[in-house]
Amino acid sequence: MPPVSVRVAAAQFAVGSDRDQNLAAVLRAVASAAGRGAGLVVLPEFCNHLSWYEDRRHALREACVPGDAFLTAVASAAARHRLYVKLHVTLATPAVRPVPGRGDGMRIAATSLLLAPDGTLAGRADKQTLMGSENDHLDPAETVGPVVATRLGPVGLYSCMEGVISEVCRSLSLRGAQLLLNSLNSFALDEASLHVPVRAAENKVWVIAANKVGPLIPETHLAAVAAGLGVPPEALHGAGESQIVAPDGTVVARASRTGEALAVADITPGSALDKQRPDGTHVFTARRPDLYGPITRSPRPVPAFGGRRAESVSAAALRPSGTGRTAVEHAARLAGEAAARGARLLVLPELFFFADGRVPAHQEGGPAQELGAAALRALAGALRGTDALVACTVPEGPAHLGVLLGADGPVLRVPQLHPSARHADWATLRPGPPGVHDAPWGRIALVTGDDSVHPETFRLAALAGADTVAVCFTGLEPWESALGLPERSAENRLNVVAAGHGQGAVHALPAGFGLWQNREGHFTGRISHPRTTTATGPLTSAEIHPAQALRRLVSRSTDLVDGRPWRLSGALTAPHGTADAPATHPA
């Protein structure tokens, strides 16, 4: 039985090319965490050497090997201080089968190691998705990492780029992990502000993440590389802000932006067992594994887009006031006004004509459906003479139906895919895969209601070739707007136009994407964060950039969509409760 409360730590420090100095930093961090009473400490990515190599031979020379002095010293420190240590190194082992493109008979993996309080190895996970130049000299994982049953609760291991997309953390959580341990080697400021905390919130687990500080490339190359990229040298330093995140996405401890430091917090691992949303919906049992097959299949071409995606299009989030017919009339006026201003895509909240997006019990059935039909007629009328499209949701038979319509009526109908408790009395249809609509300026996907809390929904949209997603939702938890929707834009390269009751935003893809791309304007330190315009009134408009969705390389050889670890994502399509049980460890 895991303890009710345990103290955990995330350590940040600089790593260079001197192995002895790097080992000293590791041991110092372990001792410091133990001195603060931690039962677990997470260390940054690539603790043995900078992730910078002249060639494959150099990477092989600097890699750890099982039982070497570096690993032995860290294991001894774990045993001496009686705590779990999550260490990350490059690890060289003989290849069981030939590695494509490698002729040295070895595998060099970016490896997470969980050392138990007795110094033994409790678990190992190789990095599934490599970042940029890591692909030149390192080898991706061949198997999924374990979920390790520890005294603290079930633990999953991942690192850096694996957390910039959703599949690895989702798979670990579905397999029972309550604590996710993330080692980072990143200068990106949006790791701490977005990619790290969202993995906790969307899976309702704890995340303990440790990043580096100091230069991430050799000092001798720093100035030249920074000048070549057009960024200040300090932009190539580790971004720090190591943190501990609760299952609701709240950061409960955060280290400084710079300098060696330790983030420490007392956490309750068992709280990650609660997967219910405020309306009683269980986020995992509500999933639709039967729809997620495309995510776990090899990348394939998407249907061609007939036109040319626009560089810039105006979109608007609409938030009408009132309920019933009053809300319908206000929504039609807002839609007409936005279309007259040139907006091409308009989005309304889920069931916008009912308070908080919930059908009152006395209106279920005929009255609610009549109101929905009236809303569609009014909105289509408001668009007459324009080519604008509006997204909304209505009750229709046994479906909570998302509708994208123009002046001539609906062009796309997408029932809510995932069940939600607040609609359980009437929305019983479980539809098949959603479609997309090709407008003259881009390809649009429509997300209905609580489909917005499932990362798989947006991944399916990206795989269908969408560049823009209209989201009609009711945010029940703060993380949905603050973290969830920006991340869906970032990790899939999608423009997201979202409207909810009392909330909403336009998340537009930036033109300068990825460190290694040509960028416009000053480098902000954020690599894949969208440009967000938060809704502040009844009508909020902003430009979106459909053509930018075609740029999916976050770094050289690392595609955010096609680079997903599809071979190792089988847990996504396993029926709920059938994923592998955590591997036990006695320590």
Side-chain angles (χ1 to χ4, degrees), residues 131-447:
M131 178 68 161
S133 61
E134 294 169 14
N135 291 278
D136 295 342
H137 311 304
L138 306 182
D139 305 309
E142 295 181 315
T143 59
V144 296
V147 173
V148 185
T150 73
R151 294 192 315 217
L152 312 181
V155 168
L157 315 175
Y158 74 107
S159 64
C160 209
M161 180 60 210
E162 292 180 306
V164 177
I165 54 178
S166 66
E167 283 83 2
V168 174
C169 291
R170 190 65 149 187
S171 296
L172 289 167
S173 301
L174 288 169
R175 292 163 53 209
Q178 296 173 19
L179 291 82
L180 298 182
L181 314 184
N182 182 13
S183 299
L184 297 108
N185 175 73
S186 181
F187 48 75
L189 300 181
D190 43 350
E191 287 281 13
S193 66
L194 181 61
H195 305 309
V196 170
V198 75
R199 303 305 167 212
E202 70 194 14
N203 295 300
K204 295 191 177 295
V205 296
W206 290 92
V207 170
I208 301 121
N211 198 4
K212 281 182 180 165
V213 293
L216 299 185
I217 63 175
E219 293 270 16
T220 52
H221 298 300
L222 185 60
V225 172
L229 294 171
V231 301
E234 57 270 21
L236 300 180
H237 285 213
E241 293 191 281
S242 299
Q243 57 190 255
I244 299 162
V245 190
D248 64 356
T250 302
V251 177
V252 298
R254 189 197 311 263
S256 55
R257 169 71 178 80
T258 60
E260 192 167 300
L262 202 64
V264 180
D266 294 323
I267 70 170
T268 54
S271 59
L273 292 171
D274 182 3
K275 304 296 184 186
Q276 285 196 333
R277 286 169 50 73
D279 70 346
T281 304
H282 190 289
V283 293
F284 282 0
T285 59
R287 295 175 66 256
R288 292 288 306 278
D290 57 304
L291 299 181
Y292 305 152
I295 303 173
T296 64
R297 293 197 288 266
S298 62
R300 56 197 63 189
V302 300
F305 180 68
R308 181 175 180 178
R309 298 176 202 261
E311 290 295 332
S312 184
V313 167
S314 179
L318 310 181
R319 297 187 299 163
S321 58
T323 59
R325 301 282 176 173
T326 300
V328 169
E329 292 170 2
H330 191 200
R333 289 197 301 272
L334 291 174
E337 179 183 347
R341 293 182 184 178
R344 309 287 289 279
L345 176 64
L346 323 173
V347 182
L348 284 157
E350 170 188 8
L351 299 172
F352 70 89
F353 36 79
F354 291 127
D356 300 323
R358 186 190 294 261
V359 177
H362 69 279
Q363 291 193 3
E364 289 178 6
Q369 297 194 37
E370 290 170 8
L371 187 56
L376 296 182
R377 291 192 298 269
L379 291 168
L383 301 181
R384 192 170 295 118
T386 77
D387 63 354
L389 297 170
V390 61
C392 64
T393 80
V394 298
E396 184 175 286
H400 178 204
L401 182 67
V403 181
L404 184 68
L405 75 156
D408 295 328
V411 297
L412 180 65
R413 296 158 60 89
V414 180
Q416 184 170 318
L417 307 176
H418 303 86
S420 55
R422 69 182 184 282
H423 301 324
D425 290 343
W426 59 274
T428 56
L429 180 68
R430 295 295 167 261
V436 293
H437 172 71
D438 284 359
W441 49 265
R443 179 169 290 169
I444 308 168
L446 177 58
V447 171

Side-chain angles (χ1 to χ4, degrees), residues 21 102 293 359 423 427 467 505:
Q21 291 183 8
R102 316 292 194 200
V359 177
H423 301 324
D467 51 66

Side-chain angles (χ1 to χ4, degrees), residues 327-566:
V328 169
E329 292 170 2
H330 191 200
R333 289 197 301 272
L334 291 174
E337 179 183 347
R341 293 182 184 178
R344 309 287 289 279
L345 176 64
L346 323 173
V347 182
L348 284 157
E350 170 188 8
L351 299 172
F352 70 89
F353 36 79
F354 291 127
D356 300 323
R358 186 190 294 261
V359 177
H362 69 279
Q363 291 193 3
E364 289 178 6
Q369 297 194 37
E370 290 170 8
L371 187 56
L376 296 182
R377 291 192 298 269
L379 291 168
L383 301 181
R384 192 170 295 118
T386 77
D387 63 354
L389 297 170
V390 61
C392 64
T393 80
V394 298
E396 184 175 286
H400 178 204
L401 182 67
V403 181
L404 184 68
L405 75 156
D408 295 328
V411 297
L412 180 65
R413 296 158 60 89
V414 180
Q416 184 170 318
L417 307 176
H418 303 86
S420 55
R422 69 182 184 282
H423 301 324
D425 290 343
W426 59 274
T428 56
L429 180 68
R430 295 295 167 261
V436 293
H437 172 71
D438 284 359
W441 49 265
R443 179 169 290 169
I444 308 168
L446 177 58
V447 171
T448 304
D450 278 3
D451 291 345
S452 63
V453 302
H454 298 275
E456 296 90 347
T457 307
F458 294 80
R459 191 58 114 191
L460 291 173
L463 292 174
D467 51 66
T468 301
V469 179
V471 181
C472 308
F473 77 116
T474 299
L476 301 183
E477 299 174 275
W479 74 269
E480 297 176 52
S481 291
L483 300 171
L485 293 175
E487 181 66 9
R488 303 302 159 242
S489 172
E491 69 188 2
N492 294 292
R493 293 297 289 166
L494 294 167
N495 297 280
V496 173
V497 185
H501 293 265
Q503 54 198 299
V506 178
H507 303 286
L509 294 177
F513 171 59
L515 181 67
W516 315 121
Q517 310 293 327
N518 294 326
R519 63 177 61 254
E520 301 170 358
H522 177 66
F523 176 61
T524 64
R526 302 198 304 182
I527 305 304
S528 62
H529 199 294
R531 291 177 179 166
T532 296
T533 302
T534 302
T536 56
L539 193 165
T540 299
S541 61
E543 295 295 305
I544 58 173
H545 309 291
Q548 288 298 319
L550 301 177
R551 298 179 62 179
R552 292 174 167 180
L553 288 176
V554 67
S555 188
R556 181 168 54 84
S557 301
T558 305
D559 186 300
L560 283 173
V561 178
D562 286 347
R564 69 192 182 280
W566 56 271

